[in-house]
Amino acid sequence: MQSTLSLSFSPSSSAAAVSRSHTTRFSLNTSTPLNLRFCGLRPQALAFNASGNHRSSKLPSRPRSQAISAALSANGSPPKFFDYDLLIIGAGVGGHGAALHAVEKGLKTAIVEGDVVGGTCVNRGCVPSKALLAVAGRMRELQNDHHLKSLGLQVSAAGYDRQGVADHAINLASKIRNNLTNSMKALGVDILTGFGKILGPQKVQIGSSDKIVTAKDIIIATGSVPFVPKGIEIDGKTVITSDHALKLEFVPDWIAIVGSGYIGLEFSDVYTALGSEVTFVEALDQLMPGFDPEIGKLAQRVLINPRNIDYQTGVFASKITPARDGKPVRIELIDAKTKEPKDTLEVDAALIATGRAPFTQGLGLENIDVVTQRGFVPVDERMRVIDSNGKLVPHLYCIGDANGKMMLAHAASAQGISVVEQVTGRDHILNHLSVPAACFTHPEISMVGLTEPQAREKGEKEGFEVSVAKTSFKANTKALAENEGEGLAKLIYRPDNGEILGVHIFGLHAADLIHEASNAIALGTRIQDIKLAVHAHPTLSEVLDELFKSAKEPPEYSSSSGRLGHIQKPVVGNRWKETTDSHGMNSRGVLDVVLSLFLSFFSAFQRCLASMLHFSN
């Protein structure tokens, strides 16, 4: 469907009118409801018009087929009519994002949830963990006498109430969960309670009852659960996963954390701030695998070495026995390569932070000839499910942790939105290299795109050079004002064309700063363009400003041709391209000159006409 973008100006402003037709679905209608988001979700049920007044959030929908029960058709054949346009199995962040976008597109939508709305992120993951990390951050500030004295502050000894801290996390999760539920109900999304099981093409059974619903398109968004290696016994009290740790039922004097990725790092920040001693057990030869090595090295110097943390690398926890009968938790370690016994630890508690596994059992995938790969549902770049013969399963998609492409809540939401775009007629492929990630330690770590080793490997294969630029938080005025100058920003790019390959940040509010780089990658913005952007002073955003400015421009952009005077226009692929004539003036510049002359003439004509009328009177 085509839509028209119209821009009009009065003669007093520009004496111009422009009308342009777009093939994509886009409009600037001020009567369209404005969707408000928070926590990466979109839970607001109310919309506002341009004047700020409340109005109904009910959106127009496309004509739908008359609903008919799927029980009237055999499970192996698709139904002729559908109960819903879109059915989503799983009401986590990914399912929620897809559902709200589907309503915006006019689809009759239902979401199936067998547990609680919000999924892992809201109830047992990123939301309650941020509540605990907020407490950890405050405790670190109050406990850092040197930092406080440098600011001229004096604070007495800080303490905490364990149950109060736990209640803060529980209450936050409950609030967000209720907001998500109410937002979907207000927008007309049907919430179907029970576990969803696929019976056949476009048919899903809800719970253990005989209730069967049909949908033209189905999205699997069932998320993941903590991965527990063999030999580890979870009792939920002294040997725990992140699900249990977020309840903060007790703060151990000494806790071993198995795994030093995102989950392990964040919990080490919480536990050490609350007074625990931490020991990392890492199977790889270095801590913080997956991070850019240079950033990881700096983060270790700041987040681990000065704190009450020790670690063992290159070892597996082959067996962990919970505390019982007055005995402590026992951890048997073996060499990760030789598998020979290496050491035994006896601690008060052990947190298993070895990653997450997809929750795809019981989905009925065998009914549509889909075989999982290590539990993950196989999909193509458009999130379309692939069966055991390598063929696409019609009208079936899988997003989020269940497909394993990028196990982040906001990635799941982005994939869900991408799927909705496809089922409503607009082809869309999500660029996962533009999806940012963050670790909410103090200071924070964030990243988007490739690490330096990954970029150099890609460069060797594809035949291009890789350059690196860096800047320090110690050169940033706002960071120094906060007395938080410890940090580094790193840019990885192609010097031949200015393409941004990756950005990594360690420092104050790194999780917020990364989005400028993320959006630049998503939009295809090059170094030579983004370094001309203006940042408010003094702000932390200037860390990125200095980072981009320190990169070398491609040779064709390094001449002294005065790029600041050039006007740029968007072309296909969200790239930006200059257009100049043989005299060095771009086409838009010519138009501006002509328009300026016309306005000057029109203004002089108005004055002349006014004078003539005055004399005639």
Side-chain angles (χ1 to χ4, degrees):
M1 176 181 292
Q2 289 190 341
S3 61
T4 301
L5 171 66
S6 298
L7 304 175
S8 61
F9 304 89
S10 64
S12 61
S13 61
S14 64
V18 181
S19 179
R20 190 188 313 164
S21 180
H22 289 268
T23 56
T24 56
R25 188 175 180 87
F26 174 75
S27 65
L28 289 179
N29 185 356
T30 57
S31 65
T32 302
L34 175 66
N35 288 306
L36 306 178
R37 300 172 180 248
F38 71 93
C39 290
L41 314 173
R42 292 180 296 173
Q44 294 292 346
L46 296 176
F48 301 87
N49 61 20
S51 62
N53 298 321
H54 291 279
R55 70 185 192 86
S56 172
S57 61
K58 185 177 180 181
L59 300 174
S61 60
R62 67 183 185 185
R64 308 184 189 99
S65 303
Q66 182 180 359
I68 185 173
S69 174
L72 299 178
S73 303
N75 287 339
S77 60
K80 295 181 180 180
F81 304 99
F82 304 99
D83 299 311
Y84 296 97
D85 296 317
L86 180 66
L87 181 70
I88 304 165
I89 305 176
V93 172
H96 175 267
L100 266 62
H101 194 58
V103 172
E104 290 177 0
K105 292 291 186 176
L107 303 184
K108 183 181 180 182
T109 305
I111 195 163
V112 183
E113 180 54 61
D115 189 11
V116 288
V117 170
T120 295
C121 175
V122 171
N123 299 286
R124 301 175 297 278
C126 44
V127 169
S129 69
K130 299 310 161 289
L132 298 183
L133 284 161
V135 173
R138 299 296 188 278
M139 285 296 295
R140 292 194 184 283
E141 291 177 3
L142 296 173
Q143 293 171 345
N144 192 336
D145 292 335
H146 176 74
H147 180 82
L148 292 174
K149 287 180 180 179
S150 68
L151 297 174
L153 299 176
Q154 295 180 354
V155 179
S156 59
Y160 68 91
D161 171 35
R162 181 201 59 77
Q163 189 57 53
V165 175
D167 289 343
H168 173 51
I170 293 171
N171 293 338
L172 177 62
S174 177
K175 181 177 181 179
I176 302 299
R177 180 172 60 249
N178 291 336
N179 284 338
L180 299 189
T181 303
N182 294 335
S183 71
M184 289 193 291
K185 288 181 177 179
L187 291 174
V189 177
D190 289 345
I191 301 176
L192 309 179
T193 303
F195 288 95
K197 181 178 181 180
I198 299 173
L199 298 180
Q202 301 167 296
K203 303 174 188 176
V204 174
Q205 178 181 351
I206 309 300
S208 57
S209 65
D210 294 331
K211 183 176 182 180
I212 298 172
V213 296
T214 63
K216 182 179 179 182
D217 294 288
I218 297 172
I219 297 178
I220 297 171
T222 49
S224 63
V225 295
F227 171 70
V228 180
K230 294 181 180 179
I232 297 178
E233 181 183 347
I234 302 291
D235 69 347
K237 298 183 180 298
T238 58
V239 180
I240 58 178
T241 67
S242 57
D243 287 1
H244 307 104
L246 290 167
K247 299 176 183 178
L248 201 69
E249 293 184 347
F250 83 110
V251 178
D253 292 332
W254 184 12
I255 183 169
I257 299 179
V258 182
S260 62
Y262 293 87
I263 299 173
L265 271 180
E266 289 187 351
F267 274 105
S268 75
D269 196 287
V270 171
Y271 280 119
T272 53
L274 299 182
S276 298
E277 179 182 350
V278 171
T279 296
F280 274 117
V281 176
E282 175 57 56
L284 298 181
D285 292 331
Q286 67 176 28
L287 293 175
M288 292 176 279
F291 294 89
D292 182 87
E294 186 173 11
I295 295 293
K297 185 177 180 180
L298 175 60
Q300 181 175 334
R301 181 168 64 82
V302 177
L303 299 177
I304 294 178
N305 295 347
R307 298 178 180 177
N308 201 11
I309 299 175
D310 64 357
Y311 54 88
Q312 295 197 39
T313 58
V315 294
F316 277 127
S318 61
K319 185 177 181 180
I320 299 182
T321 305
R324 58 171 65 100
D325 300 328
K327 297 180 181 180
V329 175
R330 182 180 175 85
I331 305 175
E332 298 179 16
L333 303 177
I334 62 173
D335 188 278
K337 297 177 181 177
T338 65
K339 302 301 186 290
E340 295 179 357
K342 191 170 183 180
D343 197 2
T344 299
L345 297 177
E346 291 186 344
V347 296
D348 298 310
L351 168 64
I352 312 305
T354 48
R356 300 187 64 83
F359 182 58
T360 54
Q361 293 182 348
L363 272 175
L365 297 174
E366 66 279 1
N367 295 328
I368 48 174
D369 196 25
V370 172
V371 179
T372 61
Q373 300 170 357
R374 295 181 297 111
F376 296 105
V377 177
V379 297
D380 69 355
E381 61 184 359
R382 291 175 173 82
M383 309 303 130
R384 297 177 295 189
V385 175
I386 302 171
D387 67 16
S388 60
N389 297 315
K391 298 180 180 179
L392 295 175
V393 179
H395 305 286
L396 182 63
Y397 303 82
C398 180
I399 64 172
D401 289 3
N403 69 32
K405 280 187 172 290
M406 199 171 197
M407 300 180 77
L408 297 169
H410 50 279
S413 181
Q415 290 173 2
I417 292 171
S418 177
V419 168
V420 172
E421 288 291 300
Q422 295 171 54
V423 301
T424 53
R426 178 186 178 188
D427 189 30
H428 183 272
I429 297 176
L430 175 66
N431 177 12
H432 286 84
L433 288 177
S434 71
V435 178
C439 185
F440 294 85
T441 48
H442 297 89
E444 297 172 342
I445 310 172
S446 63
M447 65 220 70
V448 65
L450 304 176
T451 64
E452 184 177 347
Q454 290 171 339
R456 294 197 181 281
E457 181 181 357
K458 180 180 176 66
E460 290 179 4
K461 290 181 179 179
E462 300 182 11
F464 61 81
E465 294 185 3
V466 172
S467 291
V468 174
K470 305 172 192 175
T471 188
S472 172
F473 276 64
K474 292 178 181 178
N476 181 266
T477 303
K478 183 65 181 297
L480 293 178
E482 299 279 350
N483 203 10
E484 296 282 358
E486 194 73 68
L488 173 72
K490 179 176 180 179
L491 167 67
I492 305 159
Y493 67 102
R494 288 183 58 167
D496 60 334
N497 63 9
E499 180 184 358
I500 301 173
L501 300 175
V503 174
H504 303 261
I505 308 173
F506 173 67
L508 184 65
H509 294 302
D512 300 310
L513 295 176
I514 196 64
H515 296 93
E516 182 174 3
S518 171
N519 291 333
I521 293 177
L523 297 174
T525 308
R526 303 300 175 105
I527 291 296
Q528 56 269 26
D529 298 316
I530 197 171
K531 65 164 48 183
L532 301 179
V534 180
H535 298 71
H537 175 78
T539 62
L540 290 173
S541 69
E542 291 176 294
V543 171
L544 272 294
D545 185 32
E546 292 300 322
L547 182 66
F548 293 132
K549 281 180 168 58
S550 66
K552 294 182 180 180
E553 290 186 354
E556 63 269 26
Y557 291 92
S558 298
S559 63
S560 57
S561 58
R563 284 177 50 78
L564 283 175
H566 284 207
I567 305 295
Q568 299 174 321
K569 67 177 183 178
V571 296
V572 176
N574 291 322
R575 297 285 191 258
W576 290 81
K577 180 180 179 181
E578 289 188 330
T579 56
T580 60
D581 61 16
S582 59
H583 300 286
M585 178 176 290
N586 56 59
S587 57
R588 178 63 183 272
V590 174
L591 178 62
D592 289 343
V593 171
V594 173
L595 184 60
S596 178
L597 291 173
F598 172 77
L599 290 175
S600 298
F601 172 78
F602 186 79
S603 178
F605 175 76
Q606 281 185 315
R607 290 195 298 271
C608 181
L609 181 62
S611 298
M612 292 174 63
L613 292 174
H614 174 74
F615 284 117
S616 65
N617 292 332

